[in-house]
Amino acid sequence: MPGAEDHLVEAVRAGRAQRVRELLWAGADPESADDEGTPVLCLAVGAFDGYVAQALLDADADPLRPLPDGTTPLLRAVASGDADLTGAMLVGAADRLTQEDQEALLACARRWSETGAEAGLGRVTGATGPAGRRRIMDRYPATEYDMITLGGESVYDGHSAVLTCLEAEFGVRRPFEELLARALARADGTHADWLETTAVLGHRLDDETWEAALSLRSDPDPLRRLFAADLVWHFVLLDGPPRCEEYRFERRALDVLLPWALGETDPTVLASVLKGLSELDDPRIEEVVLAHRTHPDPRVRMQVPGALRRTRYAFTHPEAWEVLAALARDADARVRAIVCEHLYAFEGRGLACADILAGFLYEDDQLVRIKAVSGLADADDPRCVDGARLIGPVDRTEWPDTWLLDAVWRYEHRHGG
């Protein structure tokens, strides 16, 4: 009869993170291995499953466990090209790494980054191309990679991101231009290589990096302007005590982003500029944002609700609810989903908010329907009861937090149901 460890292996292979956590809470060993001796943490790495890996790490699975082939789960994560998974595993391992360990990890990441994922797989498997390639949206967190497959093995092509992550963790400070080149090599503002580079530079929060970023904002290449806008957003997001006195980059960012939002012509860059403004609080922002509420590109319109929301409790502009209602009927589902995201947990609920949420009950996206029902229930709006019937089947075992799913139960309990 299968034991707890067998069930754990099965759950890890199936990618059922919540089931993995339940088994671990019940006493399953996080160092369990399959019939071939592969630790479950390595199975999660091989599947690029950050949620399962995080569950195992939270239960003290060892990312530095020595393996028969001379590797460790952490080293395998580095070779996988998954920067987010590598970063998660570093959290529990960084203080135990020797200088020799650090050098081995950096060498591995550098080798893969320099040769490329396809050539690296050819070296490992002995197979020749062409390799398979498909775009992946990794859920942990939402980060894009290309998955490269050759000789029956697969890796993500995020090894430059992994290298950037490791260097930052180990105190290796690369020049701005070198990190910029890594990001631009992708020519892709949504890839892990780009995102890791802007995150690492954003954490520096120093004048040198700030000035280097601003020098790109008038560059004729929109990709370089996008890099600058993304980096300013990181500075704004991370600024504040105890790291920076008096929010000095927030003040500077407002003076930079307000005129930039009015003059930027590239929609991708403009969306990033508006995202930066949404982290700031100044009444001038509302008028600038409203100028883009009917922009032809949905990526720009998606930024309007967040930038209009000045506090947790109120949209203060007199046209705000009219604009939100219009965006809730937008032709693009992503824009509608963003409006729902901002309103379902909005604490300053009123009839206008509830009416907009009720309009999301027939959305194709189940998560949007769930959030709309939750928002109506928490606002004590009876439309949540009929809305719950429209949600459809939900696998509750895959929800680490069922608070959203239980909103109608809480509503009925409050009303004696």
Side-chain angles (χ1 to χ4, degrees):
M1 185 173 180
E5 279 66 38
D6 295 316
H7 288 304
L8 181 61
V9 170
E10 181 183 342
V12 168
R13 282 181 170 157
R16 298 174 70 86
Q18 182 60 19
R19 177 59 176 159
V20 168
R21 290 190 184 276
E22 290 170 356
L23 289 166
L24 292 167
W25 291 333
D29 184 359
E31 295 294 351
S32 300
D34 66 7
D35 292 339
E36 297 179 356
T38 304
V40 285
L41 184 55
C42 290
L43 294 178
V45 170
F48 309 97
D49 196 327
Y51 287 108
V52 169
Q54 189 63 65
L56 294 166
L57 291 167
D58 290 344
D60 295 327
D62 187 2
L64 299 182
R65 174 178 175 173
L67 302 173
D69 63 358
T71 67
T72 63
L74 175 56
L75 190 59
R76 290 191 181 189
V78 169
S80 78
D82 189 332
D84 299 303
L85 186 51
T86 299
M89 296 181 77
L90 275 171
V91 171
D95 60 350
R96 294 186 287 141
L97 292 172
T98 66
Q99 185 66 34
E100 183 180 359
D101 292 331
Q102 293 184 12
E103 291 173 357
L105 292 168
L106 288 168
C108 177
R110 192 175 299 112
R111 182 168 61 252
W112 278 92
S113 179
E114 290 173 352
T115 62
E118 182 172 345
L121 273 178
R123 182 184 66 243
V124 170
T125 65
T128 57
R133 179 184 292 266
R134 63 189 178 98
R135 193 69 162 187
I136 295 290
M137 172 61 80
D138 191 279
R139 298 179 302 125
Y140 179 84
T143 307
E144 293 187 20
Y145 298 86
D146 284 353
M147 177 181 279
I148 313 300
T149 303
L150 182 66
E153 300 289 337
S154 297
V155 295
Y156 283 173
D157 68 338
H159 295 98
S160 287
V162 172
L163 179 60
T164 301
C165 169
L166 291 174
E167 287 175 339
E169 179 66 36
F170 301 154
V172 180
R173 183 183 173 99
R174 294 298 182 194
F176 181 92
E177 288 297 328
E178 182 176 342
L179 293 180
L180 172 62
R182 289 183 189 176
L184 294 179
R186 293 293 319 177
D188 184 347
T190 60
H191 189 275
D193 289 353
W194 178 286
L195 298 177
E196 188 65 32
T197 301
T198 52
V200 165
L201 285 171
H203 274 86
R204 290 183 179 178
L205 284 175
D206 57 33
D207 291 333
E208 177 186 353
T209 307
W210 174 261
E211 294 300 329
L214 294 194
S215 70
L216 301 174
R217 60 181 165 158
S218 59
D219 195 286
D221 182 355
L223 201 63
R224 295 170 75 89
R225 299 201 304 275
L226 177 62
F227 190 86
D230 283 358
L231 194 47
V232 169
W233 173 75
H234 274 286
F235 265 66
V236 171
L237 195 66
L238 296 168
D239 192 17
R243 300 194 62 177
C244 293
E245 70 281 2
E246 299 180 5
Y247 303 95
R248 58 195 178 106
F249 289 110
E250 282 199 13
R251 297 198 310 274
R252 297 184 198 181
L254 189 63
D255 293 337
V256 168
L257 293 175
L258 281 172
W260 194 352
L262 293 173
E264 181 56 58
T265 58
D266 184 270
T268 307
V269 181
L270 177 57
S272 182
V273 171
L274 294 179
K275 182 173 69 171
L277 282 173
S278 71
E279 300 293 336
L280 300 169
D281 191 5
D282 187 283
R284 292 172 293 174
I285 294 173
E286 295 170 327
E287 294 302 329
V288 170
V289 169
L290 286 173
H292 299 293
R293 60 185 169 180
T294 60
H295 193 281
D297 195 298
R299 293 170 297 177
V300 175
R301 301 197 301 276
M302 286 171 65
Q303 301 302 322
V304 173
L308 276 179
R309 186 172 172 176
R310 302 283 16 106
T311 73
R312 291 170 54 205
Y313 306 102
F315 291 87
T316 58
H317 194 278
E319 296 181 53
W321 287 103
E322 178 185 339
V323 171
L324 291 168
L327 292 172
R329 301 187 299 271
D330 196 275
D332 194 288
R334 294 170 297 175
V335 178
R336 301 195 301 272
I338 286 292
V339 177
C340 183
E341 185 68 27
H342 282 284
L343 295 186
Y344 87 92
F346 181 56
E347 296 190 23
R349 297 183 187 92
L351 183 59
C353 180
D355 285 345
I356 293 174
L357 286 172
F360 294 127
L361 295 177
Y362 294 90
E363 283 288 324
D364 290 337
D365 188 330
Q366 185 186 51
L367 183 57
V368 171
R369 299 198 303 274
I370 290 171
K371 289 181 175 180
V373 168
S374 175
L376 288 169
D378 290 344
D380 258 355
D381 191 300
R383 286 174 286 186
C384 69
V385 177
D386 288 334
R389 301 189 182 103
L390 301 172
I391 289 176
V394 177
D395 184 356
R396 294 176 70 93
T397 65
E398 287 305 292
W399 283 70
D401 184 354
T402 57
W403 178 260
L404 281 176
L405 302 180
D406 294 334
V408 173
W409 176 87
R410 294 193 301 273
Y411 168 84
E412 292 177 332
H413 183 72
R414 289 195 303 271
H415 292 271

